Amino acid sequence: MNSEELRNRAHDVLQRNDRGEFSTPSPHQYPHQWNWDAALIALGWSHFDVSRARTEIRSLLRAQWRDGMLPHIIYHHGASDYFPPPDFWQTHGLPHVGAIESSALTQPPLVATVVRALHERSHADSESLAFVREVFPKILAWHRWLHHTRAVDDSGLPCLIHPWESGTDNSPRWAAALDRITPHDLPPFRRRDTQHVAPDERPLAQDYERFVYLIDRGRRIGWDSARLLAESPFLVQDVMFCSILHRADEDLRALGKIVNEDTREIEKWLGQTRQVFDARFWNETRGLYLDYDVRASEPILVNTFATFMPLLAGVPSSEQVARLMQHWSDLHEYAPSDDSRFRLPTTSKNEPRYAPRRYWCGPIWIIINWLSYIGLRRYELREPAAALRADTLALLQTHGCREYFDPRDGAPLGATDFAWSAALALEFLSERDE
């Protein structure tokens, strides 16, 4: 399909997933609202209807917990055939939860970045200013929760207590931390994610057992944040999550200045992150940014797409960027070669657990291409950015708005009619290579 046909297809997918005040990521596989999906879907709506885009953000923020946490799944219409259902989280009656049924986990904080983009696209009219004033304190409360409630020290770097919080559930970067966990006394459950998607494209059974075990650990302590940090067997600091948060802090600071809010607290977070980021994540020997296993007190020595996410945040020096781009251009890691035609595999091709069809173990995700594209453009790396955009549009124009793609031949994988792929198709179409 050509560009105009892709634009029409993307609009159709957004409409197909529209449930009035929120959107589902896909009609069958994911029938509720997801946190970072909602942010990206709002971006997509902004190309047609900025009011509908704001509605998407409002519906997400209505589920915010009283302590500031913004959940990763919101069950606006109650239970469905999706696992886990709302009751599985056992949050009913807890004093710190929100008014709408939700999960007890969070997801990467893209909302501030998207709200800033919506404001800039609306030409700063009075309605947009009112919207920024409305949502600013809620986003601020979420960022405060991440920097304080989820930090184990004064660095302000948040910790994740479940792989689902990373948005990259079964990435090989979490494998060692999960392998140390021996699930026991599991509650009865029946995963439903292989009803609409082939099992070889989804996480393995042993992954799911550990996912459920970690949920059960949270349930047993009433999702108490302090105890989760002290007791969760899975506790990591994620390069991508922290990069997105730093960029979101920059955007939240900009929003605060637009509506004359005090931004000194945000300035402090930005300074803290810049001060500790390299010490925590940069591996000088390998020239990679690596996630950190807090429980094991050691870096996670797995080469994944996450190494490029600090470009989004503007953290790397020019010397670090040069080393990162060596990996980007390596035929055995991320560059197209005889064994792969398209960028960006989500795991380096020379990693032992690289699997080009299995969820986050190697397939191309449009969101990762988009975040990488923004990072490349931030550093004025125009040629690799243009090549990444061309690969992304080729996948979308050939196969439509699928959830993810095989980097070897571009084969479409996962859920069909995937909303953030549609939204980001519109983003890539709106860009112009320089």
Side-chain angles (χ1 to χ4, degrees), residues 14 17-24 33-35 37-64 70 74 76-77 100 111 114-115 118-119 122 127-128 130-132 134-135 138:
L14 291 179
N17 288 277
D18 187 7
R19 299 296 177 268
E21 293 192 346
F22 74 97
S23 301
T24 64
Q33 186 182 40
W34 265 255
N35 185 324
D37 295 73
L40 297 176
I41 290 166
L43 269 185
W45 277 118
S46 72
H47 291 276
F48 304 102
D49 184 347
V50 71
S51 177
R52 177 62 185 81
R54 294 174 188 142
T55 296
E56 191 73 34
I57 299 297
R58 286 188 175 107
S59 68
L60 173 64
L61 292 174
R62 278 202 299 273
Q64 188 166 32
L70 196 60
I74 297 91
H76 291 285
H77 295 163
I100 299 175
V111 176
V114 168
V115 169
L118 297 184
H119 181 69
S122 66
E127 187 176 351
S128 179
F131 177 69
V132 172
E134 173 191 342
V135 302
K138 298 176 182 179

Side-chain angles (χ1 to χ4, degrees), residues 10-250:
H11 191 195
D12 180 64
V13 169
L14 291 179
Q15 292 176 313
R16 197 171 303 163
N17 288 277
D18 187 7
R19 299 296 177 268
E21 293 192 346
F22 74 97
S23 301
T24 64
S26 70
H28 305 294
Q29 183 77 344
Y30 307 103
H32 304 287
Q33 186 182 40
W34 265 255
N35 185 324
W36 67 335
D37 295 73
L40 297 176
I41 290 166
L43 269 185
W45 277 118
S46 72
H47 291 276
F48 304 102
D49 184 347
V50 71
S51 177
R52 177 62 185 81
R54 294 174 188 142
T55 296
E56 191 73 34
I57 299 297
R58 286 188 175 107
S59 68
L60 173 64
L61 292 174
R62 278 202 299 273
Q64 188 166 32
W65 283 23
R66 292 178 179 87
D67 63 2
M69 194 271 279
L70 196 60
H72 94 294
I73 307 173
I74 297 91
Y75 303 92
H76 291 285
H77 295 163
S80 67
D81 65 351
Y82 178 82
F83 176 83
D87 289 347
F88 195 81
W89 298 95
Q90 295 185 3
T91 60
H92 182 72
L94 297 178
H96 52 292
V97 305
I100 299 175
E101 290 184 313
S102 73
S103 73
L105 305 173
T106 194
Q107 260 186 339
L110 285 172
V111 176
T113 300
V114 168
V115 169
R116 183 180 183 184
L118 297 184
H119 181 69
E120 291 172 351
R121 290 175 187 182
S122 66
H123 307 294
D125 60 28
S126 59
E127 187 176 351
S128 179
L129 285 168
F131 177 69
V132 172
R133 290 192 186 95
E134 173 191 342
V135 302
F136 177 85
K138 298 176 182 179
I139 304 172
L140 178 65
W142 183 26
H143 287 214
R144 183 181 296 124
W145 182 87
L146 290 169
H147 282 293
H148 295 283
T149 306
R150 275 296 186 85
V152 291
D153 52 36
D154 59 4
S155 71
L157 296 176
C159 295
L160 310 187
I161 54 94
H162 195 291
W164 288 352
E165 294 196 311
S166 73
T168 64
D169 308 5
N170 68 325
S171 171
R173 56 200 182 123
W174 313 135
L178 291 174
D179 286 347
R180 290 199 308 270
I181 298 171
T182 302
H184 58 85
D185 301 323
L186 287 175
F189 75 96
R190 180 187 172 193
R191 60 185 291 191
R192 305 291 184 90
D193 58 307
T194 56
Q195 291 185 119
H196 305 290
V197 174
D200 70 339
E201 299 173 19
R202 297 294 301 171
L204 298 169
Q206 57 263 36
D207 297 325
Y208 242 84
E209 289 178 355
R210 286 158 176 79
F211 297 159
V212 170
Y213 177 73
L214 291 170
I215 293 173
D216 193 50
R217 291 291 295 262
R219 302 190 314 181
R220 290 172 184 268
I221 59 174
W223 299 104
D224 179 88
S225 293
R227 290 189 63 185
L228 283 169
L229 287 182
E231 301 174 20
S232 175
F234 182 93
L235 197 70
V236 303
Q237 289 168 324
D238 172 0
V239 171
M240 180 182 75
F241 195 106
C242 292
S243 297
I244 289 174
L245 177 57
H246 188 68
R247 173 60 182 263
D249 282 339
E250 290 180 331

